[in-house]
Amino acid sequence: MCTRFVYRGDDMITGFNFDIDLTVWNHKIEKEKDRFYIGILRPDGVRHSYHGVNRNGNVGTLLYVHGNSEGTHQDSKSCMTIADLTERFIQATISFDDALRMVQEQKIVYAPDATMQAMLSDRQGRTLIIEPGIGWREDDGRYSLITNYSVLVPESTSSFIVPGDDRYERAAKLLNSYRELFTVADAFSVLQTVRQEGIWATRVSFVYSSKEHAVYYVRNNDFSQIEKYEFPQL
């Protein structure tokens, strides 16, 4: 369970709620010179950057989605996993244009052990929504928003919506109420409104401001304790 948005106002701001079951995913906030990310410990012993920000403004996040057979993992040179694509974008080994070309030329599939969709955005607010087995869209408009259900073909996951899970609708209503001015505080207000509790609680919330070249973040739904990580100037 996660929520991600990009808001294109007087500042390019992206917000993300990272909702996980701690018995399933081992995570740690990592702050490096070139990256801020939520490091997910994988069987290879590495904390992978599947959710994070590069100092160049690339922001990538994976969100769980109920899988479809067309997106099933394939070990083929013509395929790329959504996890690999997202991590390479956060590492800045590929640009937004590279990612756009890859989704056009290669089949994007799930990782072997997880069904995820992704949102990638750059410092200018260009945004790419990628849903393995369904397709992709370069998004525009005032904002882009995604949770754990398909945005491209909503009916494909509508039967899997958890009763009472209206995070997308609530976030969209809030985002629609803003105009040109949209601040870091506004972004946290949206994230706090759709935060999760219980087993799949929100463990990390972060907001990236392109104008400030900084990431603000909170841990475990404690929105009264906002921390800041500012990247070195490019």
Side-chain angles (χ1 to χ4, degrees):
M1 307 290 282
C2 295
T3 301
R4 164 79 189 280
F5 63 82
V6 176
Y7 197 93
R8 308 173 188 89
D10 62 317
D11 188 2
M12 197 294 291
I13 288 182
T14 186
F16 179 60
N17 270 353
F18 178 64
D19 311 334
I20 58 162
D21 180 346
L22 294 179
T23 66
V24 179
W25 302 105
N26 182 311
H27 76 286
K28 180 182 178 184
I29 293 176
E30 302 282 2
K31 293 171 286 186
E32 302 176 353
K33 179 174 65 72
D34 293 326
R35 284 184 299 166
F36 170 98
Y37 62 97
I38 302 169
I40 305 297
L41 186 62
R42 302 294 286 147
D44 60 6
V46 176
R47 287 195 179 276
H48 286 270
S49 53
Y50 300 136
H51 318 82
V53 185
N54 191 280
R55 85 187 274 201
N56 75 348
N58 284 0
V59 184
T61 50
L62 290 175
L63 305 93
Y64 172 79
V65 67
H66 194 281
N68 65 83
S69 59
E70 291 299 314
T72 301
H73 179 261
Q74 300 175 41
D75 189 9
S76 168
K77 291 183 178 179
S78 64
C79 298
M80 174 177 286
T81 71
I82 190 70
D84 287 344
L85 177 61
T86 301
E87 184 165 35
R88 289 177 65 184
F89 185 72
I90 295 168
Q91 293 171 337
T93 60
I94 60 172
S95 66
F96 186 88
D97 289 330
D98 292 331
L100 186 58
R101 185 179 67 255
M102 289 172 175
V103 298
Q104 293 170 331
E105 297 177 351
Q106 294 181 269
K107 182 175 183 179
I108 308 301
V109 298
Y110 301 125
D113 60 348
T115 54
M116 301 282 183
Q117 54 191 12
M119 179 178 280
L120 311 181
S121 60
D122 69 5
R123 197 171 184 180
Q124 287 71 49
R126 293 188 298 171
T127 302
L128 188 60
I129 294 173
I130 311 163
E131 300 182 7
I134 293 179
W136 58 273
R137 181 174 79 199
E138 188 174 2
D139 222 35
D140 55 18
R142 177 64 76 194
Y143 70 87
S144 299
L145 172 66
I146 192 170
T147 58
N148 302 102
Y149 311 106
S150 174
V151 172
L152 304 183
V153 186
E155 61 271 22
S156 67
T157 55
S158 60
S159 63
F160 303 109
I161 296 177
V162 177
D165 184 6
D166 60 349
R167 286 171 297 133
Y168 187 95
E169 291 75 15
R170 284 187 289 143
K173 183 178 181 180
L174 283 171
L175 292 169
N176 276 319
S177 70
Y178 294 98
R179 294 296 180 262
E180 180 70 14
L181 180 62
F182 186 79
T183 66
V184 169
D186 293 329
F188 273 119
S189 180
V190 174
L191 294 178
Q192 186 170 8
T193 297
V194 297
R195 71 190 185 281
Q196 298 295 288
E197 298 177 347
I199 295 175
W200 285 85
T202 303
R203 313 297 178 177
V204 180
S205 299
F206 72 70
V207 173
Y208 168 67
S209 164
S210 177
K211 183 184 291 186
E212 295 187 36
H213 203 47
V215 181
Y216 294 82
Y217 61 100
V218 302
R219 309 169 194 258
N220 300 314
N221 278 328
D222 188 357
F223 287 87
S224 67
Q225 297 293 325
I226 299 176
E227 300 178 67
K228 180 181 180 181
Y229 179 70
E230 192 166 0
F231 289 105
Q233 290 298 312
L234 291 170

